Amino acid sequence: MPLKKDIKDFGLAALEGELRSLDEPGFRAKQIFAWLYRRGKTTFGEFSDVSRGLRDKLEERYFIGRLEAVERLRSRDGVQKFLFRLGDGPHVETVLIPSGKRRTVCLSTQAGCKFACAFCASGLGGFKRNLTPSEIIGQVLFVKDVLGEEPTNIVFMGMGEPLDNFDNVADSVRIMNAAEGMGIAARRITISTCGIVPGIERLAKLDLQVNLSLSLHAVTDRLRDRLMPVNKKYPLEEIVLACEAYLKSGGRMMTLEYILIRDVNDSRNDAEGLAAIARRLRAKVNLIAYSPVPGLEFAPPEEAAMKEFVRWLEERRVQVTERRSKGADIAAACGQLAGHKKSETREIGGTRKR
Ligand code: SF4
C-alpha cells in the first residue's frame, strides 16, 4: 500500500480527479471540502453524508493533516501568535491580529527563508523547506476551529516568501476562496512579495484576483541591494514593471510595505522616491516603524521623523497608513518566535517583518 496522502493538499479540481480515480463521482469533492473546511472535521468517520464505502476508501489512502500549536502567546493589544512544530521538526509562526470586527491572519508559507533581508528575523536561521497547501491552510483552520475566531482577512506576510512557494500558495488560496471551502473572498486575501519578478508574472496570468503587496523598504537599487539581496537578481525597475503588468492584467490593487529605519531609508529623497513608485502603481503605502530584532544592527525611527515622512508622502498625494508594530510584547515579528525556539531563549521583543 503506498504512503497515505494528506487530503488537504488537494484543491477542488485535483480532489475531483482523485475521486474519479477511485471510481467515485467528482462532485463528492464538494461534500468533502465542506466537511474539511466549513465544518472543520478531522476524521473521515464524521463525514456523515458520505457513503461508508467512500469513507473506507478515503481512510485507506489519505489522512487529514492538522497543525498543533506548541506555543501560544497573547499580547496586551490582543494580537495572538502561535508557534507550530511541523512533523519533520521545523517551527513556523502564525499571527492573529484583531482590529474592530476584523480578524486578520498572517500566514507563513515557508519554514525559514532563503532571501536573507538584512532587517528580518525570518532570514536569520536560513531556509528549511516549503510548506504544503495543507500546512498553509492548517494555520487558518487552527484560528477558525481551535480558537473559534472567524478569519476575515488573510495576509501572506509571515515567515517565508510566498511567491517562492508559488504552487502551494496558489492552491491554498483556491481552497480558502472556494465557496465549498472556506469562502474567503479574494479581495480579502493579500499576497506579499519581496519582489520575485517571475512570481509576479505568474500571478498576473492566474485568475486569483488577490491583492498584491510589495515589500519595498528602499527606493534605490544601491540601498535595496544592501537591505534585500534579492534586489541584485530582480532590480527595482524590473519589479515595478512586473507590478504594472500585474495591475493591467486585472490584479485588484497594490500596497507598498515600507519599514522606516532610522538614518537608513527615512530621508526626504527616500520619501520622494517612494511617492513616485506609489503613483506609478496607484498603490497605498503602509509605513511601519522598525522595531529592533536582537542581533540586528538597525534602529527605529524617531517619532518626529516618522511623522515628517508621512507628511512628505501626503504632500505628494500618496495614501499612507502609519502602522505601529502590534504585538511587540510577544515577539510578533515574523521569524522571531521560531528564532527563539531554535536558540532556546525566551527573550521577548518585537518588530514586524514587512
Ligand atoms: S522579509 Fe520576507 S523575503 Fe525577506 S528574509 Fe524576511 S521573510 Fe524572507
Side-chain angles (χ1 to χ4, degrees):
M1 174 65 69
L3 278 179
K4 287 187 181 185
K5 296 184 262 191
D6 189 341
I7 198 160
K8 284 190 185 146
D9 280 338
F10 295 95
L12 195 60
L15 189 55
E16 285 169 1
E18 290 282 308
L19 289 167
R20 279 192 288 271
S21 75
L22 300 177
D23 292 327
E24 294 282 346
F27 71 80
R28 296 261 180 245
K30 289 185 180 169
Q31 282 173 286
I32 293 174
F33 253 49
W35 285 112
L36 292 173
Y37 303 115
R38 271 205 236 139
R39 301 184 191 111
K41 297 301 176 196
T42 54
T43 62
F44 295 118
E46 293 170 284
F47 296 10
S48 57
D49 63 357
V50 171
S51 71
R52 179 69 194 265
L54 175 53
R55 278 188 267 152
D56 288 345
K57 286 184 199 174
L58 294 174
E59 196 77 60
E60 269 170 34
R61 292 165 179 82
Y62 306 94
F63 66 95
I64 301 175
R66 201 159 174 228
L67 290 182
E68 302 283 354
V70 293
E71 195 155 346
R72 286 170 61 171
L73 298 174
R74 182 190 285 268
S75 84
R76 284 185 290 273
D77 55 18
V79 169
Q80 292 190 60
K81 185 159 193 170
F82 316 104
L83 185 71
F84 300 103
R85 186 181 181 280
L86 305 179
D88 54 343
H91 292 90
V92 294
E93 311 169 354
T94 305
V95 185
L96 170 64
I97 307 155
S99 175
K101 288 188 178 159
R102 268 190 190 211
R103 296 288 176 273
T104 302
V105 185
C106 179
L107 301 178
S108 291
T109 54
Q110 298 180 313
C113 184
K114 54 179 91 153
F115 293 97
C117 298
F119 49 80
C120 176
S122 286
L124 289 176
F127 176 71
K128 313 276 182 331
R129 69 169 172 84
N130 284 332
L131 300 197
T132 63
S134 174
E135 288 165 340
I136 297 170
I137 289 286
Q139 297 168 63
V140 187
L141 286 176
F142 181 85
V143 168
K144 195 168 138 64
D145 298 330
V146 181
L147 302 183
E149 294 274 9
E150 199 59 47
T152 58
N153 296 69
I154 304 291
V155 292
F156 287 83
M157 291 189 186
M159 223 182 195
E161 162 56 47
L163 297 186
D164 188 51
N165 184 14
F166 193 96
D167 293 326
N168 291 352
V169 167
D171 281 349
S172 68
V173 167
R174 288 193 190 97
I175 293 170
M176 287 175 210
N177 207 205
E180 304 80 4
M182 293 180 180
I184 300 173
R187 68 176 186 284
R188 299 192 177 279
I189 300 176
T190 300
I191 292 182
S192 171
T193 180
C194 63
I196 308 293
V197 169
I200 299 169
E201 291 168 348
R202 276 187 77 189
L203 200 59
K205 289 186 190 128
L206 294 185
D207 192 24
L208 287 184
Q209 293 290 304
V210 291
N211 304 308
L212 181 63
S213 173
L214 173 64
S215 299
L216 193 62
H217 312 316
V219 295
T220 62
D221 282 321
R222 192 153 171 263
L223 179 58
R224 206 162 187 273
D225 283 355
R226 189 183 132 211
L227 292 180
M228 305 178 77
V230 67
N231 196 71
K232 292 177 191 156
K233 188 161 183 190
Y234 305 116
L236 261 176
E237 183 58 21
E238 270 184 42
I239 298 170
V240 175
L241 286 172
C243 290
E244 285 178 327
Y246 176 78
L247 290 170
K248 274 195 200 120
S249 75
R252 281 187 41 80
M253 61 174 240
M254 284 209 58
T255 47
L256 300 175
E257 305 291 318
Y258 195 92
I259 294 178
L260 203 64
I261 308 172
R262 187 191 302 180
D263 298 333
V264 174
N265 62 357
D266 59 353
S267 72
R268 193 181 183 111
N269 280 347
D270 293 312
E272 280 169 8
L274 177 55
I277 294 173
R279 280 199 304 267
R280 267 179 79 180
L281 298 176
R282 300 186 307 280
K284 292 191 289 188
V285 171
N286 284 332
L287 192 68
I288 304 145
Y290 179 81
S291 58
V293 174
L296 298 184
E297 58 182 302
F298 302 108
E302 302 284 357
E303 187 77 30
M306 182 98 173
K307 292 223 168 331
E308 192 156 39
F309 203 87
V310 169
R311 187 171 57 77
W312 287 332
L313 291 174
E314 287 176 343
E315 279 172 5
R316 287 159 183 81
R317 294 194 192 83
V318 173
Q319 196 182 334
V320 50
T321 307
E322 206 179 324
R323 293 259 163 93
R324 290 280 147 199
S325 182
K326 280 197 156 200
D329 52 320
I330 57 163
C334 159
Q336 274 196 284
L337 192 57
H340 290 147
K341 198 76 195 168
K342 191 164 162 271
S343 60
E344 294 300 331
T345 66
R346 291 294 302 112
E347 187 175 358
I348 300 295
T351 191
R352 290 172 61 96
K353 177 190 63 164
R354 295 171 192 259

